[in-house]
């Protein structure tokens, strides 16, 4: 199934939003496949946001990401990249819809709480960058109650 890279940025960690973020992805019906709380090296943050290196806000963005620990996660599920972006909300929190994480919990674009991969391909690259050690192998017992797969009484 499809996977995406989700990161709770340092402001999300400092503000006690880790549980809230995990809860939203979990309740939706996506599966957590990897998670770690880490302090990010400057060079690593620059690599993660390499596509934005020419932007005027790049230095501030890197400063923000290295300012405290982040929670790096891999979530799996049907269409999890696009749906994950919907759960996260628009980049500018003032434009993000209420009900999205950024819409509910953030004000400034430079303190927008969470990152989500913007394509399946970038998701793959980000997962490889952040989790070279690989992901956890497991399958939720709830799977047939969330996804339309064959319900087999003996397997549940
Ligand atoms: P991420 O999920 O973090 O990648 O955000 P995004 O995909 O919604 O936006 P994008 O990749 O374009 O920008 C990455 C991050 O850079 C944003 O989440 C913001 O934290 C920051 N950023 C983007 N645009 C601006 C800007 O105009 N000003 C400032 N200060 N920060 C910005
Ligand atoms: Mg982005």
């Amino acid at each position: 199934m499809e996977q995406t890279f989700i990161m709770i940025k340092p402001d999300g960690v400092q503000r006690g939003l880790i549980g809230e973020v995990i809860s939203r992805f979990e309740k939706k019906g996506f599966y957590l496949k990897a998670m770690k709380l880490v302090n990010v090296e400057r060079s690593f943050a620059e690599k993660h946001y390499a596509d934005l290196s020419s932007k005027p806000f790049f230095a501030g963005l890197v400063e923000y990401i290295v300012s405290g620990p982040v929670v790096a996660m891999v979530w799996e599920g049907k269409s999890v990249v696009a749906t994950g972006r919907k759960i996260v909300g628009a980049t500018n929190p003032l434009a993000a819809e209420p009900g999205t994480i950024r819409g509910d919990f953030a004000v400034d674009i430079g303190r927008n709480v969470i990152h989500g991969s913007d394509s399946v391909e970038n998701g793959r690259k980000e997962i490889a960058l952040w989790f070279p050690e690989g992901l956890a192998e497991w399958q939720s017992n709830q799977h047939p109650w969330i996804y339309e797969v064959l319900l087999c009484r003996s397997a549940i």
Side-chain angles (χ1 to χ4, degrees):
M1 247 189 307
E2 192 171 296
Q3 295 177 333
T4 192
F5 174 69
I6 298 291
M7 170 178 64
I8 305 172
K9 296 177 178 178
D11 51 333
V13 174
Q14 294 289 346
R15 293 175 55 200
L17 296 173
I18 297 171
E20 179 72 37
V21 169
I22 290 174
S23 187
R24 289 183 180 213
F25 279 84
E26 216 172 24
K27 286 177 185 163
K28 172 69 179 168
F30 294 141
Y31 304 131
L32 184 61
K33 289 295 171 121
M35 178 165 73
K36 58 189 174 190
L37 176 76
V38 283
N39 283 295
V40 180
E41 297 281 343
R42 190 168 297 271
S43 58
F44 192 89
E46 286 168 353
K47 209 167 172 182
H48 172 77
Y49 279 123
D51 290 353
L52 301 173
S53 59
S54 62
K55 301 284 185 190
F57 57 81
F58 184 69
L61 174 60
V62 170
E63 210 56 53
Y64 166 41
I65 297 303
V66 304
S67 65
V70 304
V71 175
M73 295 177 282
V74 176
W75 287 89
E76 184 176 280
K78 192 175 186 177
S79 204
V80 70
V81 171
T83 308
R85 292 279 289 187
K86 283 189 195 162
I87 292 171
V88 165
T91 309
N92 180 349
L94 294 183
E97 295 293 333
T100 67
I101 291 168
R102 287 168 173 166
D104 287 349
F105 300 114
V107 175
D108 271 351
I109 195 166
R111 297 288 183 273
N112 62 1
V113 173
I114 184 167
H115 160 84
S117 304
D118 61 10
S119 68
V120 173
E121 182 52 29
N122 282 338
R124 260 190 226 111
K125 286 184 195 159
E126 290 169 1
I127 290 166
L129 176 70
W130 285 81
F131 292 97
E133 67 272 29
L135 314 177
E137 293 267 351
W138 73 291
Q139 218 195 1
S140 168
N141 285 342
Q142 291 187 13
H143 191 69
W145 301 109
I146 300 168
Y147 294 84
E148 259 187 295
V149 295
L150 193 63
L151 283 165
C152 170
R153 280 172 68 89
S154 59
I156 302 163

